[in-house]
């Protein structure tokens, strides 16, 4: 059941003070326990959707916030309400947090009414009121090593830092302001979610209304003052003034040092406009760091779930790593098919050696058995099952180009969102392992064309024809050439129109002359009399700094893993979290929550958690115990259940997983008007200062 035996674990525990957390995370959420997760109990007390859940650090109290404008503190193990807080909120509560270092005495809440309240739980008093956001506040985040501080993000495009030790009027400061910078499209400037890296709390991740996850180093950022809404006027408010960036660097920081890194699935940046034309919105609904602070999980609304390795900035989108870098001059030779080559002498020594080295790709019996099962599923057109078998086989044989090539073919057949790009990555991997892998080379060209990267597809196919001239005469190859040439002709006319409109400024790159003349070591001189950083820079420096920013954004870090099967379209507060060291969990629009194996990316368990939508999935900090909530007013608790005599109501395991995931893919690509009913209930505009009373606003679509 465990990865190591108990004696080894005890030995490491004595040597490493942090090993207990690793040991605990691995064993408590072991595969054995996760596979036996099932319904445990319900917590009833709310009268509306439960939009947020939060465990205290000890795991003894569960806090919940709801559309009924109440916060309830629970003892979930005894299914008992400990305290009910009647808040001053006038809109749905979206965030609730225990403030660290206060022994669970202080907690904060945020809501659709744009307000944040801080409570003394023991005295049942509201001790601070924060009215600094201009639109709905979506999330609150804390850092365990930063007592009395917390952060909030809102649909006004602000990320604020709050210090409860200060006077209420001075407690809040602007850390990031996306509404004031032209580098973020105004349509994407709403701050949907944020997360603090608990292992290194100087790093803060933010998700907006686009597919980019942004991680900032807070140590480089200057806090800017902000006043409460009541004291702000249209003329005096400094928040509407345009600035060069969404942040302001500290005075001693080199202005050419960009304090953030972008993370995005490599196929999405160039397809944002295409998604908009299809009326499909891509926005990050939740971000989460793993306990070690080395990975970031992003739940991408309208698409899939993605995992990023924070310390692998070399993982650039494959689009920009030209396939030609895989080969050197010795590879630019003709490779004859085996049927026309009876001896190895007709093949250059280097290629002959590579072919002979295929012995090292021999699969273990278990991996070979999985490959055969995958091949059989592929023949039956059961692509979902085939991919799962290939995932398991690759985990056992990570150096097998055949497995990567076969999985690429299966992904291309399944063709879910992101599958073609994932297939292209597999083709790259297969060619890195074996440059003579013909099928991967041809599939790479097809993937590039399907991704609408037609010029690279044409070059790739020409290179393929040079290396495999006999195979290049096949009907499939000729058909692909025709498709690419037709697409190139059409895209050439389209590019001419786009250049005239200057519509692609976001992805402008730095020219060679500008790059050569730019000295990053020189800091532009600042005018001390100027109050704003951007105003102190010359127009030329502004242009250079902007291009540095955009260049770094264009070189965003690509994902390391993706998890498919759930549906994230209807609400923009849908969570995804790490479950121990080896599992990932997320809610879904079909009323279920999914659990994936982090290594294979396969679905391990699907549980029916809500009659409509599961938004919140919060694992217990120390036990194999999960709390979920959504549109229903009940909170449901889940734990390993080894009792086979469950009633139909208690047994909430989804057995037909294949049908569930296929239906979810259909939903994700349906017309957004099918979800219009979720927005019709949102009849309150919190930008109206005169709005009052208890008005419940349903969780709106992303």
């Amino acid at each position: 059941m465990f990865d190591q035996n108990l004696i080894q674990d005890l030995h490491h525990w004595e040597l490493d003070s942090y090993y207990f957390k690793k040991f605990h995370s691995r064993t408590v959420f072991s595969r054995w326990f996760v596979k036996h997760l099932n319904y445990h109990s319900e917590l009833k007390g709310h009268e509306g959707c439960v939009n947020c859940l939060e465990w205290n650090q000890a795991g003894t109290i569960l806090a919940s916030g709801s559309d009924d404008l109440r916060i309830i503190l629970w003892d979930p193990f005894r299914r008992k309400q400990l305290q009910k807080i009647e808040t001053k909120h006038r809109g749905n509560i979206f965030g609730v947090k225990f403030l660290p270092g206060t022994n669970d005495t202080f907690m904060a809440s945020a809501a659709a009414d744009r307000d944040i309240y801080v409570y003394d739980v023991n005295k049942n008093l509201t001790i601070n009121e924060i009215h600094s956001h201009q639109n709905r506040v979506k999330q609150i985040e804390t850092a365990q090593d930063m007592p009395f501080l917390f952060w909030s993000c809102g649909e006004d495009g602000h990320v604020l830092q709050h210090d409860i030790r200060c006077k209420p009027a001075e407690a809040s400061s602007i850390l990031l302001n996306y509404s004031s910078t032209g580098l973020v499209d105004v349509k994407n400037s709403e701050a949907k979610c944020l997360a603090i890296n608990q292992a290194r709390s100087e790093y803060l991740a933010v998700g907006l209304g686009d597919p980019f996850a942004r991680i900032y180093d807070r140590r480089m950022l200057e806090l800017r003052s902000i006043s409460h809404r009541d004291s702000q006027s249209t003329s005096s408010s400094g928040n509407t003034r345009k600035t060069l960036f969404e942040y302001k660097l500290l005075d001693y920081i080199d202005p050419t040092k960009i304090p953030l890194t972008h993370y995005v699935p490599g196929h999405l940046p160039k397809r944002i406009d295409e998604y908009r034309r299809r009326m499909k919105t891509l926005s990050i609904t939740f971000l989460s760091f793993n306990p070690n602070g080395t990975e970031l999980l992003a739940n991408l609304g309208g698409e899939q779930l993605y995992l990023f390795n924070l310390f692998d900035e070399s993982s650039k989108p494959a689009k920009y790593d030209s396939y030609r870098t895989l080969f050197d001059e010795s590879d630019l030779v003709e490779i004859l098919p085996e049927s026309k080559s009876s001896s190895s002498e007709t093949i250059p020594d280097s290629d002959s050696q590579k072919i002979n080295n295929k012995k090292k790709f021999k699969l273990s019996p278990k991996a070979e058995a999985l490959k055969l099962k995958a091949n059989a599923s592929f023949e039956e057109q059961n692509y979902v099952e085939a991919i799962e078998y290939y995932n398991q086989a690759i985990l056992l044989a990570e150096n097998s180009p055949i497995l990567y090539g076969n999985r690429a073919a299966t992904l291309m057949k399944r063709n879910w969102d992101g599958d073609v790009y994932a297939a292209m990555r597999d083709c790259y991997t297969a060619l890195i392992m074996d440059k003579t892998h013909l099928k991967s080379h041809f599939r790479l060209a097809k993937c590039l064309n399907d991704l609408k990267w037609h010029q690279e597809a044409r070059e790739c196919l020409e290179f393929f024809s040079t290396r495999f001239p006999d195979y290049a005469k096949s009907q499939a190859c000729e058909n692909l050439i025709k498709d690419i040439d037709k697409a190139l002709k059409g895209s050439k006319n389209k590019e001419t129109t786009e250049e005239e409109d200057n519509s692609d400024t976001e992805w402008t790159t730095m020219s060679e002359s500008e790059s050569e003349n730019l000295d990053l070591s020189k800091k532009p001189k600042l005018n001390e009399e100027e109050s704003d950083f951007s105003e102190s820079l010359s127009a030329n420096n502004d242009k250079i700094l902007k291009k540095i920013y955009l260049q770094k954004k264009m070189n965003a870090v690509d994902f390391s893993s993706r998890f498919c099967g759930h549906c994230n379209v209807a609400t923009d507060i849908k969570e995804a979290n790490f479950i121990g060291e080896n599992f990932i969990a997320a809610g879904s629009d079909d009323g279920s929550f999914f659990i994936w194996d982090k290594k294979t990316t396969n679905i391990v368990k699907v549980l029916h958690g809500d009659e409509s939508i599961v938004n919140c999935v919060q694992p217990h900090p120390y036990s194999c115990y999960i709390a979920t909530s959504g549109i229903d007013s009940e909170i449901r608790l889940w734990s390993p259940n080894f009792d086979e005599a469950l009633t139909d109501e208690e047994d909430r395991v989804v057995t037909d997983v294949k049908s569930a995931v296929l239906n979810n893919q259909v939903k994700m690509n349906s017309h957004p008007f099918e979800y219009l009913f979720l927005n019709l209930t949102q009849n309150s505009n919190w930008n109206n200062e005169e709005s009052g009373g208890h008005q419940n606003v349903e969780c709106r679509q992303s």
Side-chain angles (χ1 to χ4, degrees), residues 82-341:
L82 300 177
Q83 189 171 348
K84 181 180 289 186
I85 301 174
E86 299 286 347
T87 72
K88 295 183 179 181
H89 286 299
R90 296 169 294 119
N92 301 352
I93 298 175
F94 287 128
V96 60
K97 283 284 183 180
F98 291 97
L99 300 188
T102 65
N103 196 27
D104 302 330
T105 300
F106 294 163
M107 63 187 311
S109 65
D113 59 1
R114 306 174 291 171
D115 294 332
I116 297 172
Y117 294 100
V118 181
Y119 311 93
D120 185 323
V121 175
N122 292 343
K123 298 179 181 179
N124 199 18
L125 290 176
T126 301
I127 61 174
N128 204 340
E129 299 182 9
I130 299 172
H131 310 290
S132 298
H133 278 286
Q134 301 292 328
N135 209 326
R136 303 196 312 172
V137 188
K138 299 308 292 290
Q139 195 171 345
I140 297 175
E141 190 62 31
T142 61
Q144 292 302 320
D145 61 351
M146 303 288 286
F148 305 107
L149 288 182
F150 67 95
W151 295 263
S152 64
C153 68
E155 292 179 349
D156 53 2
H158 290 173
V159 175
L160 304 183
Q161 178 173 301
H162 312 279
D163 189 338
I164 63 172
R165 295 169 296 184
C166 300
K167 297 178 182 179
E170 302 172 355
S172 303
S173 303
I174 294 179
L175 188 66
L176 300 166
N177 186 354
Y178 297 100
S179 64
S180 69
T181 173
L183 293 176
V184 176
D185 192 323
V186 65
K187 296 188 292 292
N188 302 331
S189 62
E190 295 182 354
K192 301 285 187 180
C193 56
L194 78 160
I196 294 287
N197 189 335
Q198 298 299 332
R200 296 189 61 179
S201 60
E202 65 269 23
Y203 292 122
L204 176 143
V206 181
L208 305 181
D210 61 22
F212 291 89
R214 298 160 169 85
I215 295 185
Y216 297 84
D217 187 339
R218 294 189 299 107
R219 296 170 298 182
M220 301 173 66
L221 306 182
E222 179 179 313
L223 294 174
R224 291 167 282 176
S225 62
I226 185 173
S227 55
H228 282 206
R229 285 193 308 273
D230 298 338
S231 61
Q232 293 176 5
S233 64
T234 305
S235 59
S236 63
S237 175
N239 301 328
T240 58
R241 183 173 52 205
K242 288 293 182 181
T243 57
L244 186 59
F245 302 120
E246 66 270 21
Y247 54 82
K248 182 178 181 182
L249 293 176
L250 294 169
D251 290 340
Y252 60 84
I253 300 294
D254 185 341
T256 61
K257 301 297 183 184
I258 306 300
L260 80 153
T261 303
H262 291 86
Y263 298 81
V264 68
H267 60 293
L268 291 179
K270 282 289 188 178
R271 303 192 68 182
I272 293 176
D273 290 338
E274 176 192 338
Y275 277 94
R276 284 177 181 166
R277 287 192 294 270
R278 292 165 51 192
M279 299 186 70
K280 185 173 182 179
T281 302
L282 296 177
S283 62
I284 296 177
T285 64
F286 200 80
L287 292 167
S288 176
F289 289 97
N290 70 333
N292 297 331
T294 58
E295 295 172 322
L296 178 70
L297 186 64
N299 199 356
L300 185 54
E303 240 246 17
Q304 316 292 358
L305 186 62
Y306 290 94
L307 184 68
F308 299 92
N309 188 329
L310 303 186
F311 297 100
D312 186 18
E313 294 193 13
S314 62
S315 179
K316 299 296 187 295
K319 153 73 173 171
Y320 304 109
D321 296 335
S322 174
Y323 65 91
R324 288 185 177 274
T325 61
L326 298 173
F327 306 96
D328 53 36
E329 292 184 1
S330 64
D331 297 309
L332 300 176
V333 294
E334 176 181 333
I335 298 181
L336 301 177
E338 293 182 6
S339 59
K340 295 188 178 184
S341 176

Side-chain angles (χ1 to χ4, degrees), residues 582-602:
N582 299 318
F583 300 96
I584 302 289
S588 177
D589 289 344
D590 62 352
S592 301
F593 71 98
F594 287 66
I595 300 177
W596 294 266
D597 185 303
K598 195 175 80 171
K599 293 180 180 178
T600 65
T601 72
N602 288 344

